[in-house]
Amino acid sequence: MPVKNRFAQTHADITAWRHHLHTIPELQYDVHRTVAFVEEKLRSVGIENIMTGVGQTGLVAVIEGAQDTQGRVIGLRADMDALPIHEQTGLEYASKTPGAMHACGHDGHTAMLLGAAQYLAETRNFDGRVVLIFQPAEEGGAGGRAMCEDGLMARWGIQEVYGMHNMPGYPTGQFAIRPGAIMAAADELEITITGRGGHAAAPHEAVDPNLAAAHVLIALQSIASRSVDPLAHVVVSLCAVHSDTEAHNVIPQVTRMKGTMRTLDQQVRALVMDKVRLIARASAEALGCHAEVIIREGYPVTVNEQTHTEHAIKAARAVASQVDVDLPPIMAAEDFAFMLLERPGAYIMIGNGDGATVHHPEYQFDDDAIPAGCSWFAEIAEQRMPVNS
Ligand SMILES: [Zn+2]
Ligand SMILES: [Zn+2]
């Protein structure tokens, strides 16, 4: 397939960059060594317009096209952070930091955007500007939101924005995408049910929060089956259930439950939050208890704009033989969602072949995907901002 020829030449270098990044995984916003490496590589290929410290530790760099007749600006984003996982790949370039690992392939994303940057800086075959966005803290730290709140889109005049993630289980270097919601909103749920403790042999003299918790737990599953359109997607999972006793003859005073809610639509998301609060409070009250419900809003739904999804597909078809345009939505959440709330754009998956899934201690990014990934970033810039001859 016609990946850009230049990447056949730079593939080995980009792979070496990726392996180096893999040895130095950094968590959340603490990506200082990674940022220093990114900055050094960008400068080595002649990119001087660089700003660090955006959204705490994000890096933004600008590549000017051969022309700028239309004022066009495209943002291309990669995430840089790793996970608190102890690597078990046995690779010679495995993590040198115990308890931290690039188990989501963000080292691959960063290396591929660096590779595309090198090509774009060499060729500058576009009419406008490319803004490279290297973000920290994708894994739960909302680094994308932090960069947006630091004025990313307005300060650099970004008009549309594109991101990519590797996908194990899909052929290496092939692409998959869908218009609309591609990844879920994820919100954290905490329910504290207070009753009145007592002797387990005299339940009539106590108010059992465990019984109320059991009712709440079951009743919350009615949201997916009875409150939400069957064709919509919703997950309510209660994952931790703890009372304040370890004894077998004590009715506890308090029972706490923790869980997660996943949705693919903003309206469904709001409905689920309302229903969770109502059901928990009313079910607990019916059994004489009091329920306190805390919902912590996480990442919003990642929504691909229709026309920009088509742009992403066109770029993918230029470099890969297989582009699945109807990828089923994924119920995991993605911080790129915040960037897509501010500017239209698209988020695409690149196949990572067979092997362990992301977030697994044996996960490995497939370096054979690098030419296709670099080519896609470069194609987006060249196709969306063609040079007038
Ligand atoms: Zn991840
Ligand atoms: Zn990831």
Side-chain angles (χ1 to χ4, degrees):
M1 264 292 113
V3 297
K4 290 185 177 294
N5 286 335
R6 180 71 177 118
F7 295 115
Q9 295 155 1
T10 56
H11 188 179
D13 285 346
I14 300 166
T15 300
W17 301 346
R18 209 279 293 176
H19 291 186
H20 173 70
L21 290 169
H22 196 81
T23 64
I24 56 160
E26 295 177 294
L27 305 181
Q28 294 292 325
Y29 289 91
D30 183 20
V31 288
H32 301 282
R33 293 176 72 190
T34 306
V35 167
F37 181 81
V38 167
E39 182 171 0
E40 178 205 313
K41 286 297 161 217
L42 292 174
R43 290 196 190 281
S44 77
V45 299
I47 297 169
E48 296 294 334
N49 186 342
I50 297 170
M51 184 167 289
T52 55
V54 182
Q56 295 188 41
T57 48
L59 182 150
V60 180
V62 179
I63 309 173
E64 307 282 349
Q67 298 178 350
D68 191 359
T69 65
Q70 313 286 323
R72 300 276 289 122
V73 184
I74 301 276
L76 302 176
R77 170 273 201 179
D79 39 15
M80 299 185 288
D81 60 319
L83 284 159
I85 291 176
H86 193 82
E87 182 159 352
Q88 292 173 21
T89 60
L91 292 166
E92 60 185 22
Y93 56 87
S95 168
K96 291 192 165 74
T97 308
M101 173 189 178
H102 268 298
C104 205
H106 299 181
D107 51 344
H109 306 162
T110 297
M112 289 193 293
L113 188 55
L114 280 175
Q118 178 185 32
Y119 166 87
L120 290 168
E122 285 171 0
T123 52
R124 300 185 189 260
N125 185 29
F126 54 93
D127 180 0
R129 263 180 294 162
V130 169
V131 177
L132 307 166
I133 304 164
F134 292 90
Q135 81 149 79
E138 193 288 318
E139 299 286 0
R145 181 173 61 193
M147 291 188 80
C148 286
E149 287 174 351
D150 206 354
L152 172 65
M153 299 301 168
R155 283 165 70 189
W156 279 273
I158 295 165
Q159 295 160 344
E160 50 196 271
V161 66
Y162 296 87
M164 185 189 337
H165 205 290
N166 75 95
M167 187 168 77
Y170 197 74
T172 298
Q174 308 296 341
F175 291 89
I177 192 170
R178 70 175 298 103
I182 186 165
M183 299 198 55
D187 302 303
E188 283 181 6
L189 173 61
E190 232 178 278
I191 303 172
T192 304
I193 298 175
T194 306
R196 191 172 67 246
H199 200 297
H204 59 295
E205 291 175 2
V207 178
D208 185 358
N210 279 348
L211 181 67
H215 277 259
V216 169
L217 198 151
I218 292 168
L220 289 181
Q221 294 312 317
S222 72
I223 296 172
S225 64
R226 301 288 97 165
S227 301
V228 173
D229 183 337
L231 297 180
H233 301 73
V234 55
V235 175
V236 179
S237 288
L238 285 169
C239 304
V241 182
H242 295 292
S243 78
D244 61 354
T245 177
E246 291 296 318
H248 51 77
N249 57 355
V250 173
I251 289 175
Q253 184 79 12
V254 174
T255 303
R256 292 187 177 83
M257 300 194 286
K258 289 183 187 175
T260 182
M261 302 176 291
R262 308 283 169 124
T263 47
L264 286 173
D265 176 279
Q266 196 56 37
Q267 280 175 319
V268 173
R269 187 186 188 197
L271 172 74
V272 170
M273 288 183 187
D274 284 350
K275 285 285 178 188
V276 163
R277 289 193 186 96
L278 181 68
I279 289 171
R281 286 174 188 151
S283 303
E285 194 183 332
L287 292 162
C289 294
H290 172 76
E292 186 192 356
V293 180
I294 297 172
I295 293 172
R296 282 186 207 89
E297 291 194 17
Y299 296 167
V301 186
T302 302
V303 181
N304 280 340
E305 196 81 20
Q306 177 77 43
T307 53
H308 298 79
T309 306
E310 286 160 17
H311 303 325
I313 291 168
K314 190 175 168 212
R317 287 201 168 124
V319 298
S321 57
Q322 191 175 329
V323 183
D324 178 355
V325 299
D326 193 20
L327 176 72
I330 298 164
M331 294 311 275
E334 164 60 52
D335 189 24
F336 188 60
F338 288 109
M339 296 189 188
L340 290 178
L341 282 180
E342 296 211 350
R343 292 294 184 275
Y347 186 69
I348 198 165
M349 303 293 173
I350 182 167
N352 197 58
D354 293 331
T357 184
V358 289
H359 293 212
H360 189 280
E362 292 172 10
Y363 164 82
Q364 292 185 33
F365 180 85
D366 188 345
D367 293 311
D368 288 343
I370 285 174
C374 294
S375 296
W376 181 80
F377 277 130
E379 283 288 343
I380 285 280
E382 292 179 349
Q383 290 185 6
R384 295 294 300 138
M385 302 186 289
V387 170
N388 302 318
S389 50

